[in-house]
Structures are given as structure tokens and as C-alpha cells.
Amino acid sequence: MATQEDGKTPNLSQEEQHDVDKNQPPRAAVLHEIIRTQGDQELERSVAALWWSALAAGLTMGLSLMAMGLLNSRLPDGEAFKVIASFGYCAGFLAVILARQQLFTENTLTAVLPVMSKPTLANAGRLLRLWSVVLVGNLCGTLLVAYVMLHLPIFDTKTDHAFLEIGRKIMENDAGQMFAKGIVSGWMIATMVWMIPSMESAKMWIIILITYLMALGDFTHIVVGSAEVSYLVFAGELPWKDFWLVFAGPTLAGNIIGGSFIFALISHAQIRSESSLPGKKAADPRHPQQIDKGQ
């Protein structure tokens, strides 16, 4: 029974106490283990399974470019309407994540946690294998969809012009800005991945919130940005050298640093610091069997 000394509300029935325990948010360690387990499962997948899923994700990410272009071409000019058109950026992320396709920046958190938990050469090799296959598959998909959107008679002239303007806006950044904005983008995606397991019922709204803020901030993302910038290349406005050296290389480095070496390291360090406290073994309140019955 609760007493005034332990600070708990007195006179709660067993059923009411069960409701309290059930409605407790998961501890950070629980979220860490959920994401680590998901990452370990991804690391075990075959190269063929990763490749086809990553290629599908790259094609699907073309929805972001398509949606933004269609909205920009049909809304009046003006900053207020650009804010509305930015919602189109969410389309590709929603489709890819809800369909559980392989997206590179998502893997910068999920797949890296198993390596941090057990830093062996074998795990590091598995991580590099996954990153390589997923990144190449994503880029092949985005480049293909950009080529098709430009060369097939799908969109009107005004929409084609809107696609070009989106790519031009990204290339206003120099390599340093691409890198810095890529760090923020990688961190935001990692934050989204960390939030989703604790609020699975609000998954769609979490994806929309994070990716919409990415669009408003013009933060660079290696996968969706490759569709936007390669559209310029295929249109003859940008050389491949600038695509790789000004956009892709710095953005990729920024995404990895923001998602892995900042967010994942800090999150992992937090969990390891909690678990290393002497004489303290926290129990998940939703699993009372873990609690010492002698207390």
C-alpha cells in the first residue's frame, strides 16, 4: 500500500495502479532496444532484398519532387504559397517509411545502433554493406525517376519549369552550406526515427512534421535532393561534376554525421550511462515481474 513517505497517491486500487503503469511512456532504454533490434534485422537482410527495397524507395522519393512541382506550378507566386507548396516534400517520405522501404538516412540511425552496442569488425562490415547497397539503390531510383519525369510527356511546361526551379534553389548553396544543412537534415531524420516507436499511432503526423520543417528550412537530403538536382543535370543546366562534388558528396557526409555521429552517439551514450550506474537496474513499469518482490 502506498504511504505518504513514498510520495505516491494513496488509496489507489490494484486496477487503477495497473492503469498508471500501462500509461507510462517507454523508457529511453526501451526505445533504444526497439531501434537496435530493427537495425539488427536490417543488417541480416540479403543484398538482393536490400537492393530492390532501396531501388523502390528511390523511385518512391520522386513523389516529393512531383508533389512540390505540381503545387508550385498551380499556386500563385509569393512566399505564403511557397509555405503551402512545401507540404509536397512530405509525400515521398510518407510513402517510403509507411511502406517500410529502405531509405538511406533512416539507416544512419537504426543500423548503426547494433554496431555501437557491439563494435566488432564483423558488425562494421555488415553496416558498410547495408549502407553501400541502400545508398546506390536509392540514387539509382531517384536518378531514374528524374530522367523519366523530364523526358516523357507527362507534365505541362509550367510544371517542368517548377521542377527546374526546385533544383536551382538547392544549387544556390555552396558545398559548405550543403554539408551544414545536411547535418541538420540527418539529425532531424534520426529524431523522427527515435520518436516513432513511442508514438506509433501518430506515426504519419510525426513524419509530416519533421519532413515539412526540413522543407521549410531548405535542409539538404541526399536521397530526395538527388532527384531534384539530377533533374537539372538531365535538362543540361548542370554538369555531373557539380552534382557529385557540390551537392551529393557534402550532403551525404552531413547526413551521416548528423544521423550517426551526433544523434546516435548521444542517444547510445545516454543508455550506456544509465545501465552502468552501480546498484541500479531500472525496470520497465509496464512489466511488474521485473520488480523485486522483496521490496
Side-chain angles (χ1 to χ4, degrees):
M1 179 180 293
T3 64
Q4 292 183 350
E5 286 76 11
D6 61 21
K8 295 182 179 180
T9 304
N11 302 322
L12 288 180
S13 67
Q14 185 175 1
E15 182 179 352
E16 289 169 334
Q17 185 60 49
H18 175 71
D19 289 339
V20 171
D21 294 339
K22 184 175 67 173
N23 285 283
Q24 291 298 311
R27 294 190 299 118
V30 176
L31 298 178
H32 181 280
E33 182 59 17
I34 291 172
I35 297 171
R36 189 203 65 79
T37 302
Q38 291 173 348
D40 203 46
Q41 292 171 350
E42 298 299 334
L43 291 171
E44 290 295 325
R45 297 184 68 181
S46 67
V47 170
L50 291 172
W51 163 258
W52 291 113
S53 181
L55 180 63
L59 294 170
T60 305
M61 286 304 293
L63 287 173
S64 289
L65 174 59
M66 186 185 304
M68 285 192 297
L70 290 170
L71 287 171
N72 276 310
S73 66
R74 283 153 177 77
L75 289 170
D77 293 333
E79 287 301 316
F81 295 104
K82 298 296 182 184
V83 172
I84 299 174
S86 294
F87 272 110
Y89 191 81
C90 309
F93 287 95
L94 274 170
V96 167
I97 296 172
L98 294 180
R100 300 192 63 81
Q101 296 170 345
Q102 290 288 333
L103 180 64
F104 178 77
T105 46
E106 212 181 349
N107 288 328
T108 56
L109 176 65
T110 54
V112 86
L113 287 186
V115 180
M116 291 182 177
S117 300
K118 191 176 180 181
T120 64
L121 286 177
N123 275 343
R126 291 197 304 162
L127 177 64
L128 292 176
R129 179 190 71 116
L130 181 141
W131 276 7
S132 300
V133 174
V134 171
L135 178 60
V136 172
N138 284 170
L139 292 181
C140 287
T142 52
L143 267 59
L144 177 59
V145 77
Y147 183 87
V148 169
M149 288 171 62
L150 175 67
H151 289 286
L152 291 187
I154 303 173
F155 303 102
D156 56 34
T157 304
K158 192 173 182 180
T159 305
D160 289 335
H161 179 73
F163 294 149
L164 291 172
E165 285 298 320
I166 292 170
R168 291 169 186 155
K169 176 70 174 175
I170 295 177
M171 293 308 297
E172 290 176 1
N173 299 300
D174 58 29
Q177 291 171 312
M178 296 284 192
F179 175 72
K181 291 183 177 183
I183 292 176
V184 179
S185 179
W187 169 74
M188 292 177 74
I189 292 293
T191 302
M192 178 187 72
V193 173
W194 189 270
M195 291 170 63
I196 286 174
S198 64
M199 291 291 291
E200 191 69 34
S201 60
K203 185 175 185 177
M204 182 179 74
W205 300 112
I206 293 172
I207 297 169
I208 291 173
L209 171 65
I210 297 297
T211 55
Y212 178 60
L213 290 176
M214 286 170 58
L216 287 180
D218 292 323
F219 301 123
T220 52
H221 185 274
I222 182 60
V223 181
V224 65
S226 64
E228 298 164 345
V229 178
S230 65
Y231 194 92
L232 285 180
V233 177
F234 292 130
E237 290 196 13
L238 188 75
W240 280 111
K241 180 184 72 172
D242 287 351
F243 175 88
W244 294 112
L245 297 182
V246 179
F247 165 72
T251 299
L252 175 62
N255 287 169
I256 292 174
I257 290 173
S260 297
F261 298 110
I262 294 181
F263 190 94
L265 274 174
I266 292 174
S267 302
H268 182 74
Q270 169 196 352
I271 302 307
R272 288 293 171 255
S273 298
E274 286 182 355
S275 63
S276 63
L277 290 177
K280 181 177 179 180
K281 187 175 181 181
D284 189 333
R286 295 172 302 174
H287 299 284
Q289 68 270 20
Q290 297 176 345
I291 300 174
D292 186 354
K293 298 183 185 300
Q295 294 180 345

